[in-house]
């Protein structure tokens, strides 16, 4: 099955700095990669996603880049704010696209 | 976005009892529902995938007889932890998709249920 690895497990940045979280996947057939944000005690919510036909996608302060050759994709958050503090998960679909496998999560702490 | 409701949000039970957790899609028909287990400071571990009207597909290492999953309708899936023991204490979270293929990106999570077995 798909193997998704996520790094780092924790990340602490100063408010206003950028944060980058990286994930690698194993199945070269995977073509859709979402990122979820889970605030403490709340449900994960989709924040951005990317399909394999593009290399980068941006949504205000958040961007995701994809390198299909290297089989990795990254989440970039610029001008971080305290409300960005949360656990972020990447995911990749299974070979038959009927389920997701999640990365181990990154706890982001933005210090004011 | 679509709403998925999970109930109860927390439950405390005695060892040996069974606990049922419900996952409902409130404003869409969920062809597929997923159950995850989340340990403190850890990721979402997929337990099983359920499709309406058919048996759930369990991930390797997940005991089918321990974690009973029923997806009787397009809006409701249930997870029953049978003969619960302290090691079953965890945060269980469901998610629902309107389609069979997840690449559409439509995957909506419930609020989660925290189970504590005494």
């Amino acid at each position: 099955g798909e193997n998704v690895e996520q790094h780092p497990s924790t990340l602490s940045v100063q408010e206003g700095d950028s944060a980058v979280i990286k994930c690698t996947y194993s199945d070269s057939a995977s073509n859709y990669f979402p990122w979820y944000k889970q605030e403490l005690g709340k449900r994960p919510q989709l924040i951005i996603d990317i399909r394999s036909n593009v290399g980068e996608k941006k949504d205000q302060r958040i961007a995701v880049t994809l390198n299909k050759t290297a089989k990795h994709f990254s989440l970039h958050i610029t001008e971080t704010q305290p409300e960005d503090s949360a656990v972020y998960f990447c995911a990749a679909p299974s070979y038959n696209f009927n389920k997701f496998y999640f990365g181990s999560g990154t706890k982001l702490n933005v210090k004011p | 976005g679509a709403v998925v409701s999970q109930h109860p949000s927390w439950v405390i039970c005695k060892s040996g009892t069974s606990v049922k957790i419900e996952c409902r899609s409130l404003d869409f028909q969920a062809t597929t529902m997923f159950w995850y287990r989340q340990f403190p400071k850890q990721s979402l571990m997929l337990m099983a995938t359920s499709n309406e009207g058919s048996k759930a597909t369990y991930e390797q290492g997940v005991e089918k007889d321990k974690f009973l999953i029923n997806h009787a309708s397009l809006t409701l899936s249930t997870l029953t932890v049978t003969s619960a023991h302290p090691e079953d204490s965890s945060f269980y979270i469901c998610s629902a998709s309107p389609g069979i293929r997840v690449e559409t990106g439509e995957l909506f999570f419930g609020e989660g249920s925290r189970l504590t077995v005494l």
Side-chain angles (χ1 to χ4, degrees), chain A residues 38 43 51 97 99 103, chain B residues 4 38 43 59 102-103 111:
Chain A
Q38 186 179 26
R43 73 189 80 193
R51 298 190 184 277
F97 304 102
K99 55 191 168 185
Chain B
V4 175
Q38 187 174 32
S43 186
E59 294 298 304
V102 296
E103 61 189 318
E111 309 97 318

Side-chain angles (χ1 to χ4, degrees), chain B residues 50-89:
Chain B
S50 72
N51 295 104
E52 185 265 340
S54 61
K55 289 184 179 180
T57 302
Y58 289 81
E59 294 298 304
Q60 191 173 8
V62 178
E63 298 176 62
K64 300 179 182 181
D65 297 330
K66 176 73 170 175
F67 300 100
L68 300 178
I69 292 172
N70 183 278
H71 192 161
S73 76
L74 283 170
T75 59
L76 173 65
S77 177
T78 60
L79 167 68
T80 301
V81 183
T82 62
S83 186
H85 291 285
E87 57 265 31
D88 299 324
S89 298

Side-chain angles (χ1 to χ4, degrees), chain B:
Chain B
V3 179
V4 175
S5 176
Q6 194 170 334
H7 178 81
S9 55
W10 58 271
V11 57
I12 301 173
C13 70
K14 292 182 178 180
S15 186
T17 60
S18 294
V19 175
K20 180 185 283 187
I21 301 169
E22 294 186 348
C23 180
R24 292 181 185 272
S25 56
L26 299 185
D27 52 2
F28 69 100
Q29 292 186 326
T31 303
T32 309
M33 286 188 170
F34 306 91
W35 287 96
Y36 301 87
R37 183 172 179 175
Q38 187 174 32
F39 293 98
K41 300 182 180 180
Q42 292 190 26
S43 186
L44 300 158
M45 185 191 78
L46 180 64
M47 298 174 67
T49 303
S50 72
N51 295 104
E52 185 265 340
S54 61
K55 289 184 179 180
T57 302
Y58 289 81
E59 294 298 304
Q60 191 173 8
V62 178
E63 298 176 62
K64 300 179 182 181
D65 297 330
K66 176 73 170 175
F67 300 100
L68 300 178
I69 292 172
N70 183 278
H71 192 161
S73 76
L74 283 170
T75 59
L76 173 65
S77 177
T78 60
L79 167 68
T80 301
V81 183
T82 62
S83 186
H85 291 285
E87 57 265 31
D88 299 324
S89 298
S90 191
F91 189 65
Y92 294 89
I93 191 166
C94 71
S95 66
S97 171
I100 296 176
R101 292 169 68 95
V102 296
E103 61 189 318
T104 60
E106 295 178 284
L107 187 65
F108 306 100
F109 284 87
E111 309 97 318
S113 300
R114 183 159 302 283
L115 170 64
T116 301
V117 184
L118 302 177

